[in-house]
Amino acid sequence: MAPPDLPLFERDREQAVLSAVIGELRSGRPALVTVTGEPGLGQNELLRWAAGQARDRGVHVLAARATSAEHELRYGVVAQLLAPEDRDIATRLFVAPQRPGGLPGLNHLLTACHDRPTLLVVQDVQWLDPASLRWLEALARRLPRAPLALLTSTTGTAIDRPEWSVGTPLTGLASTIELALPPLTTSGVSAAVRTVCGVPGDTDFTDALAQATRGVPAVVHEVLLRFTRTGCAPRAEHVEHLRALTAEVVGDHAAQALSELRDPVAVDVLRALAVCGDLLDFPLVCTLAGLHPVPEARLRATLMASGLLTPRDGSPPGHDAVVRARILEEMPAADRADLYARAARLAQRVAVADQGIAELLLRARPVGAPWAVATLRRGFAAALRSGRRDRATAYLARALDEPLRSEERARVELQLASVQMVTAPTAAERRLHGLIRSTGTGTGLRAQAVDLCLLGGDTRAARLAQPTGSGTLGAPVPCGADVLAPGRGSGTGSPPGRRARAVAGDATAPRGGNTSDPAHRDGADEHPERTATADNDATVSERDELATVGDRHELATVSERHELIALLRVARFLRHEETCPGVPPAPALPEHSHSPAVAGVRAWEHAMAGVHLEASRRLARAAFAPDPGGRPPLVTPRLFACRALFLTDDGDEAEAHLATLLNEAHRQRAAIAIAHVLAVRADLHLRHGRPDAAARDLAAAEAELPPARLHPLFVPYWASLNLVADLQNGRPDRAREIAARPVPSLSEECATSAYLLFARGVLARSEDDPQRARAYFRACGRWLLHYGCVNPAVLPWRSLAAEAAHALGDDAEALRLTREEVRLAARWGTRSALGRAELGLAVVIRENRTEHFRAAVATLSESPARTDYTRAVLELASAESAEAERRTALALTSRRASTAGGVAPGPLPGFSQAPPAPAGVPPGRGAAPHPRPSAGWPALSPAEHETALLAASGLANREIATTLSVTTRAVELRLSGVYRKLRIRGREELRALRYGPEGG
């Protein structure tokens, strides 16, 4: 209801109509005027204004107001109207028995009207009692015979629709007018701000007020009054405070309307509408409210008359959230939860969408039905698809309130924790720790919980899973790691060779030793025939152990133990805690195990130690084989298996496995797993010379797992990937910014710190700062050795530190480091590691540098390290350019071109001879960088060579086309071929090849 002093903004048309009606009434012309609109639009204020105008013009005014409290009071409104004429009328109307067809006081009123025009003003006719309604309808039928006007107001639809509101033949001789009041426009709201606040409001402030109040004058006026009491000016910076005040006012209006609603059936229906009005139609809502004798049409009319229901959509009006909340606040908590539960059951029976039912279940008491959990889990998946992680976690948390079997409860807990790892990592860790400690957790769930904790950076979880006493993870197990069910012999149900692939044990490692010990790795056996013998021994051992195991539960226990050992080894790699007091060392991996998790971790440990290349490759592949016992696969061991495949030069195979992992993580909506898979794939892209693809994957990973949510253990690894990607993509400023960012203190205690140290060294190397570069590479090496990583394929810190030492004049250290890297790379045996080591040796050695470069080119040509191969070719060409014979790269260019029957393209200018070294600098040390040809130059056709020269000279495509008398499209196609064959990205790199890296 509008306050009495509410100005009548934007009501000029209505005021003109009412003034005309009053003027015609003085001339003896009757009229029926109904003013309608939503509550708060100022209907009653307009009626009071009209009554005042009529009195000023000498018209007799009789006024009354109907209320919901007097809806059942017979002749309540008639008594108000006739009281000024007859003081005893109320007593007669209320006490005297009603006579059939009686209309008390009507004839007397009509007689009196002949002597003076009369205006009857009745407010809120939606609450008219039936007797008063019949009396007023009878008056309307007699209007043509009297100078009398009836002016009424209503909100929405009256409970019993008066005849005069639509016009009837009986009232045809009288003017029948209906005035529907609209909300205020933005101009009207602006005028209200200026009137109440005393100063004009900002455009943003006015627009926010109009939107929040929907232009309802009563709400606008009260909000502005409360706003001015705060002493704030109507400026844009106070918009949020304005919205909060609007919510308070709307809630107060709803509470007032609810308190005036006396019908208990209508209250029940209104509450049911507040719960599920958007999901169920009105008849079903009435069913939910309970059996009652009130007709549906009358219920709807009652609610519309209250202003709490509009014909727009059958739900509480515009300010839905505020109004519904205020309606439901009036209910006891237990009744409210029961209403939500009954609404959810009804919605489930009529097949409402899952998310709608899930929203009802969120506020309902436990319903104890299987469909409730299933619906909440489907709602969880739908919420994740739409990116609403907070809502998804709320659905699963609510599902845990339902009665569940222990294994199903554990699965829901695990699923919930996988999402909370991104939104609420602390809560997720607590939940997972409870699963890990539980003895009733189902098959594979404890290991999955530890796996998820490791993805979140929680290395303590792996130790929580370690049994105490005789069953420690490091203790011998009764059956050597067999997870196969009894009866699965080597020749049953598996093709030849598959059983051997499933064996995840290290057949080539020394028995009884810790394979993570470098002392064992250095003396490891590398003969393939011994590998085959060990595989056979493993199979025999497996058969013997199968005979001792007759219990599937025991097999599952052994499998879980092996998985937990593997995860504990991962935790040990991520963070060394064994130096802390009271922390026992991590047990060794089982020597013979069919667990894919053991295979993946063992493959990584071999790769870290730089031994058993073929065994590491085989084990990494076994990590992706299905578990023989049907246990669910773990993410972390497979990620480490992919990283092992990087180091065995099987990057394409690793990329395929990463794609599988990514699809699996997307199906499970596991954001943290998606982020880690993308980060590892970005690492692969960087190793294969695809920095643009790496940048895309890193951006996608950060969208799934924002850097602010990333655990400190993984901050250095992600920072190093971003740093190197930016550096390779030509964004050194961003790379320097990443390098300068401080990292959390915990980040300095983990293995991934080595990656960031290495990346900072690469940045210092690109900035021609060998002193700083050597310091970073040395620190990287110390950290890797601390974690048992000696394989140069992981990070070639030795060769880069050697190059920095060489630039600083320390040739002894440079040679020592490069020769050590060559030895370790040869022991590991991959072409890329060995080629990089040989390249590093060729850069720092003085004797036979060209031959060393040739050896590096020959080795790297058979490896996937294309960036290193290109660098080796450039270094070789640079070294050969100083020799008179030029026996290989440049001569080979001429021979290949002649063999192809074409004209051999001459070398790019600037490559004919090496520039002289500065005085006093020995050859090979501190020399100025040489111009370097590209590895793909021999493959250029004469036309491409000619076009490349002109483009490198700075000519535009159109100028090149004019010079060569070809089309611009032909120039574009030739340059595309040049870029592809030279493996460069554009003119800047072509110019660098043309003039040398210094641009001179």
Side-chain angles (χ1 to χ4, degrees):
M1 183 181 65
D5 56 348
L6 177 66
L8 294 172
F9 294 112
E10 298 186 327
R11 298 293 181 254
D12 297 337
R13 181 183 68 87
E14 290 80 6
Q15 289 175 319
V17 170
L18 293 177
S19 295
V21 167
I22 294 170
E24 291 181 349
L25 178 61
R26 296 186 63 195
S27 303
R29 297 177 184 175
L32 284 167
V33 182
T34 303
V35 182
T36 66
E38 293 182 20
L41 291 180
Q43 299 94 313
N44 294 340
E45 177 69 17
L46 193 61
L47 262 62
R48 285 192 287 270
W49 176 87
Q53 292 291 313
R55 290 190 184 97
D56 293 343
R57 296 186 187 186
V59 174
H60 184 54
V61 177
L62 299 176
R65 181 185 178 189
T67 64
S68 60
E70 298 179 356
H71 177 62
E72 301 299 331
L73 180 63
R74 188 180 62 171
Y75 291 122
V77 170
V78 174
Q80 294 180 53
L81 287 174
L82 300 183
E85 304 294 324
D86 186 353
R87 294 180 179 179
D88 298 328
I89 188 68
T91 303
R92 296 198 302 273
L93 290 175
F94 299 154
V95 178
Q98 182 177 3
R99 294 178 299 170
L103 296 171
L106 179 58
N107 291 331
H108 177 75
L109 175 63
L110 293 174
T111 301
C113 288
H114 285 289
D115 297 332
R116 55 180 178 177
T118 303
L119 175 67
L120 270 64
V121 178
V122 182
Q123 300 178 22
D124 298 329
V125 295
Q126 70 271 13
W127 298 119
L128 279 174
D129 61 275
S132 297
L133 177 61
R134 289 193 302 272
W135 193 93
L136 289 174
E137 287 177 345
L139 173 67
R141 288 194 294 270
R142 292 167 173 78
L143 277 184
R145 300 193 297 271
L148 187 145
L150 178 59
L151 177 59
T152 63
S153 68
T154 179
T155 57
T157 304
I159 297 174
D160 293 312
R161 181 80 171 173
E163 287 187 3
W164 71 79
S165 62
V166 293
T168 68
L170 296 177
T171 60
L173 298 179
S175 300
T176 304
I177 303 171
E178 182 171 350
L179 299 176
L181 300 184
L184 295 179
T185 64
T186 304
S187 299
V189 174
S190 179
V193 172
R194 187 167 49 252
T195 301
V196 178
C197 298
V199 294
D202 285 352
T203 302
D204 293 341
F205 182 91
T206 303
D207 292 343
L209 179 62
Q211 181 180 8
T213 61
R214 296 185 299 113
V216 177
V219 180
V220 171
H221 188 254
E222 189 167 347
V223 168
L224 289 175
L225 286 178
R226 296 189 187 186
F227 182 80
T228 54
R229 293 191 195 108
T230 64
C232 298
R235 298 289 179 263
E237 57 265 25
H238 302 303
V239 165
E240 291 303 321
H241 178 53
L242 175 73
R243 291 194 176 110
L245 286 177
T246 304
E248 290 179 8
V249 171
V250 170
D252 292 345
H253 282 214
Q256 178 66 26
L258 186 62
S259 66
E260 295 175 354
L261 193 60
R262 304 294 181 178
D263 187 349
V265 175
V267 172
D268 290 341
V269 173
L270 183 63
R271 289 171 174 173
L273 276 171
V275 167
C276 57
D278 291 338
L279 301 176
L280 305 176
D281 55 20
F282 194 78
L284 286 174
V285 171
C286 294
T287 302
L288 178 63
L291 298 176
H292 49 78
V294 183
E296 179 186 316
R298 185 174 181 82
L299 277 174
R300 189 188 293 271
T302 301
L303 295 176
M304 289 180 180
S306 71
L308 295 170
L309 185 71
T310 63
R312 184 185 68 252
D313 55 5
S315 61
H319 316 276
D320 289 338
V322 176
V323 174
R324 291 184 182 193
R326 191 58 68 94
I327 290 171
L328 295 174
E329 280 175 5
E330 304 296 326
M331 296 182 67
D335 294 346
R336 185 168 58 245
D338 181 71
L339 178 59
Y340 272 108
R342 290 189 287 112
R345 287 196 188 95
L346 181 58
Q348 195 269 341
R349 286 200 298 271
V350 297
V352 171
D354 288 333
Q355 280 197 280
I357 304 175
E359 284 294 320
L360 296 175
L361 289 171
L362 277 182
R363 299 168 180 82
R365 57 169 175 77
V367 298
W371 59 263
V373 176
T375 301
L376 287 166
R377 296 184 76 172
R378 290 194 298 269
F380 160 81
L384 281 186
R385 283 195 297 270
S386 60
R388 302 166 61 210
R389 287 176 178 163
D390 292 339
R391 212 58 179 170
T393 56
Y395 290 153
L396 279 193
R398 171 60 183 83
L400 293 173
D401 294 335
E402 296 291 332
L404 295 169
R405 292 180 292 104
S406 59
E407 184 171 348
E408 186 180 8
R409 179 174 295 278
R411 292 188 183 280
V412 174
E413 293 261 15
L414 186 68
Q415 195 174 22
L416 175 57
S418 70
V419 181
Q420 286 183 327
M421 271 295 180
V422 176
T423 61
T426 304
E429 287 181 8
R430 286 198 302 267
R431 196 177 299 279
L432 291 173
H433 288 182
L435 283 178
I436 293 167
R437 292 190 180 100
S438 174
T439 57
T441 304
T443 303
L445 292 183
R446 292 183 73 221
Q448 285 183 285
V450 177
D451 182 37
L452 190 54
C453 282
L454 289 178
L455 290 175
D458 178 18
T459 57
R460 298 172 300 161
R463 296 197 178 277
L464 287 177
Q466 182 174 1
T468 58
S470 60
T472 57
L473 288 177
V477 293
C479 63
D482 195 352
V483 295
L484 290 175
R488 288 191 183 181
S490 59
T492 305
S494 297
R498 178 174 178 180
R499 193 167 186 78
R501 287 195 301 272
V503 175
D506 177 16
T508 63
R511 291 183 179 250
N514 187 345
T515 57
S516 65
D517 186 355
H520 287 295
R521 293 190 177 103
D522 290 343
D525 194 351
E526 300 175 8
H527 297 288
E529 63 274 9
R530 296 189 182 181
T531 301
T533 303
D535 284 339
N536 293 334
D537 292 343
T539 305
V540 172
S541 174
E542 168 196 330
R543 294 196 191 102
D544 293 340
E545 290 166 356
L546 276 173
T548 66
V549 180
D551 188 297
R552 189 178 295 270
H553 175 72
E554 185 178 353
L555 290 173
T557 302
V558 172
S559 300
E560 182 178 70
R561 184 181 295 116
H562 289 185
E563 287 179 341
L564 294 177
I565 292 174
L567 294 172
L568 185 55
R569 300 292 296 181
V570 172
R572 176 186 179 276
F573 167 73
L574 290 177
R575 185 183 181 193
H576 261 177
E577 297 177 316
E578 296 173 358
T579 56
C580 300
V583 178
L589 289 168
E591 290 186 22
H592 308 300
S593 175
H594 288 287
S595 171
V598 173
V601 176
R602 188 180 288 280
W604 173 248
E605 290 192 350
H606 285 340
M608 288 275 289
V611 294
H612 308 313
L613 173 64
E614 290 303 323
S616 180
R617 179 179 287 126
R618 186 184 68 254
L619 289 165
R621 291 167 178 167
F624 294 93
D627 187 272
R631 297 173 66 80
L634 303 179
V635 176
T636 306
R638 289 184 289 169
L639 281 179
F640 276 88
C642 287
R643 294 172 70 177
L645 288 173
F646 297 176
L647 308 181
T648 61
D649 282 356
D650 297 295
D652 293 340
E653 186 175 350
E655 190 169 6
H657 288 310
L658 286 172
T660 301
L661 278 172
L662 192 59
N663 291 334
E664 178 185 302
H666 276 297
R667 285 196 305 270
Q668 297 174 354
R669 308 291 174 186
I672 194 164
I674 294 171
H676 279 286
V677 173
L678 288 170
V680 173
R681 194 169 71 175
D683 192 350
L684 173 63
H685 289 321
L686 289 176
R687 291 175 181 269
H688 285 198
R690 300 190 293 264
D692 51 345
R696 288 194 297 270
D697 274 351
L698 288 171
E702 292 182 358
E704 294 289 340
L705 180 61
R709 296 288 189 182
L710 187 64
H711 194 277
L713 289 183
F714 300 114
V715 167
Y717 182 59
W718 286 42
S720 68
L721 296 177
N722 278 287
L723 192 157
V724 175
D726 285 336
L727 200 59
Q728 293 186 7
N729 282 317
R731 295 191 288 266
D733 292 339
R734 289 181 55 178
R736 281 189 287 270
E737 179 187 349
I738 294 172
R741 289 176 192 166
V743 295
S745 58
L746 184 59
S747 299
E748 300 174 357
E749 304 175 14
C750 61
T752 59
S753 295
Y755 288 86
L756 183 55
L757 291 170
F758 184 83
R760 286 171 172 168
V762 171
L763 177 63
R765 182 171 177 263
S766 71
E767 294 174 341
D768 198 20
D769 188 348
Q771 186 75 36
R772 190 159 53 96
R774 180 170 67 168
Y776 279 128
F777 290 133
R778 280 176 168 177
C780 169
R782 287 192 297 270
W783 208 242
L784 288 176
L785 293 175
H786 174 67
Y787 279 87
C789 178
V790 297
N791 190 351
V794 178
L795 291 173
W797 63 271
R798 294 176 183 85
S799 58
L800 296 183
E803 290 185 25
H806 177 66
L808 294 171
D810 192 349
D811 288 341
E813 181 185 2
L815 288 172
R816 178 182 62 81
L817 289 173
T818 52
R819 284 171 177 161
E820 182 182 1
E821 181 161 330
V822 169
R823 179 181 65 83
L824 294 172
R827 188 182 72 172
W828 176 235
T830 60
R831 291 287 184 175
S832 57
L834 183 58
R836 277 194 298 265
E838 291 174 342
L839 178 59
L841 179 61
V843 170
V844 303
I845 201 168
R846 294 187 183 182
E847 298 82 10
N848 299 323
R849 295 181 71 244
T850 305
E851 295 303 322
H852 285 289
F853 278 129
R854 288 194 187 106
V857 169
T859 304
L860 289 170
S861 65
E862 301 177 11
S863 78
R866 307 316 299 168
T867 303
D868 294 309
Y869 171 70
T870 303
R871 182 193 173 206
V873 172
L874 294 176
E875 293 282 3
L876 173 60
S878 178
E880 288 180 335
S881 65
E883 296 181 355
E885 295 84 5
R886 308 185 61 187
R887 292 185 301 271
T888 55
L890 300 182
L892 181 60
T893 301
S894 300
R895 288 200 299 271
R896 287 183 180 175
S898 300
T899 303
V903 179
L908 286 174
F911 288 108
S912 56
Q913 71 178 55
V921 179
R925 184 198 306 169
H930 304 319
R932 299 167 178 173
S934 171
W937 182 258
L940 294 183
S941 67
E944 288 173 337
H945 168 254
E946 195 174 29
T947 305
L949 290 180
L950 293 175
S953 300
L955 295 181
N957 287 0
R958 189 179 299 276
E959 296 171 331
I960 297 172
T962 303
T963 303
L964 300 179
S965 300
V966 295
T967 63
T968 306
R969 178 59 177 165
V971 174
E972 293 171 354
L973 292 175
R974 290 181 185 180
L975 288 178
S976 297
V978 169
Y979 299 154
R980 184 179 65 255
K981 293 176 182 179
L982 298 183
R983 296 184 179 181
I984 58 177
R985 290 189 295 270
R987 286 176 178 263
E988 290 299 323
E989 294 186 26
L990 185 63
R991 183 177 178 276
L993 293 176
R994 163 67 173 79
Y995 292 106
E998 296 301 315

